[in-house]
Amino acid sequence: MSRRPLSCLLLALAGALVPAAAAAGADPPMLLDDVTQRPSVMPPTFEATNTAALVGLRWSHWGSPEATGRGTLRINTCEPNCAEGHVRVLPGSDLQVRGVRIDQGRHYYRQYRILNASFSPSDRAAYAHWTDTYTPRDFR
C-alpha cells in the first residue's frame, strides 16, 4: 500500500473520531470537595472532617450518578485531645458518593457516606449515613 492512501485513511479516521470525542467530553466532569477546599476528579484522599480522612482511594464508575472509592479510613480519636489522640486505621473502607450539586457552573457529587465492616455502633452513627458534601459556596 502506498503512503498516500494510508495517510488519507488515517486523516479520515481522525476526522470521524474528533466529533465523537467532542460529544463524549460534552458532559462536565464530576468533582468532589472536602474540608481541604481542593475539589478534584477521583481524589486519592477525602477529608470528611478535621479528624477523619480516607486515603489511598481507588474509584469505580466515576462520573455516573453514584461512585465508590475504596481506601483506608484514618480517624483521630482526639483523646485526651486531638494533638495527642490515637489514630485508628480502618482499611477496606468504602466512600460512596451520589447525586449532583451545581456551584458556579461546576458539577459536584452531592452526598457521601463511609462504610466499613468493622465499624462500631458509634462509627456507623458518625459516618454511615448520607451526608451533604461541600462545594466552594459552603466555604464563603
Side-chain angles (χ1 to χ4, degrees):
M1 176 182 267
S2 75
R3 289 182 190 203
R4 182 161 172 82
L6 180 59
S7 63
C8 290
L9 177 62
L10 291 174
L11 284 172
L13 285 173
L17 293 176
V18 169
D27 291 334
M30 289 295 291
L31 299 167
L32 183 61
D33 204 353
D34 63 10
V35 297
T36 66
Q37 301 180 45
R38 290 185 297 250
S40 64
V41 174
M42 296 191 315
T45 63
F46 178 79
E47 292 191 35
T49 68
N50 291 327
T51 59
L54 282 134
V55 298
L57 287 169
R58 296 194 182 272
W59 291 94
S60 63
H61 310 293
W62 189 267
S64 63
E66 294 183 4
T68 300
R70 176 160 278 199
T72 299
L73 179 60
R74 299 176 56 84
I75 304 170
N76 185 338
T77 62
C78 289
E79 293 177 14
N81 57 58
C82 292
E84 298 175 40
H86 170 73
V87 176
R88 292 180 47 222
V89 179
L90 299 170
S93 296
D94 289 329
L95 172 61
Q96 296 177 336
V97 294
R98 70 178 184 184
V100 178
R101 281 177 79 182
I102 299 174
D103 185 8
Q104 301 172 359
R106 299 172 81 187
H107 291 82
Y108 296 83
Y109 277 109
R110 184 173 61 85
Q111 293 181 312
Y112 77 91
R113 70 179 175 183
I114 303 169
L115 303 173
N116 187 290
S118 63
F119 269 174
S120 68
S122 63
D123 291 334
R124 270 190 289 288
Y127 305 110
H129 59 90
W130 288 105
T131 303
D132 287 341
T133 60
Y134 300 97
T135 65
R137 173 182 345 188
D138 297 323
F139 298 106
R140 286 188 210 132

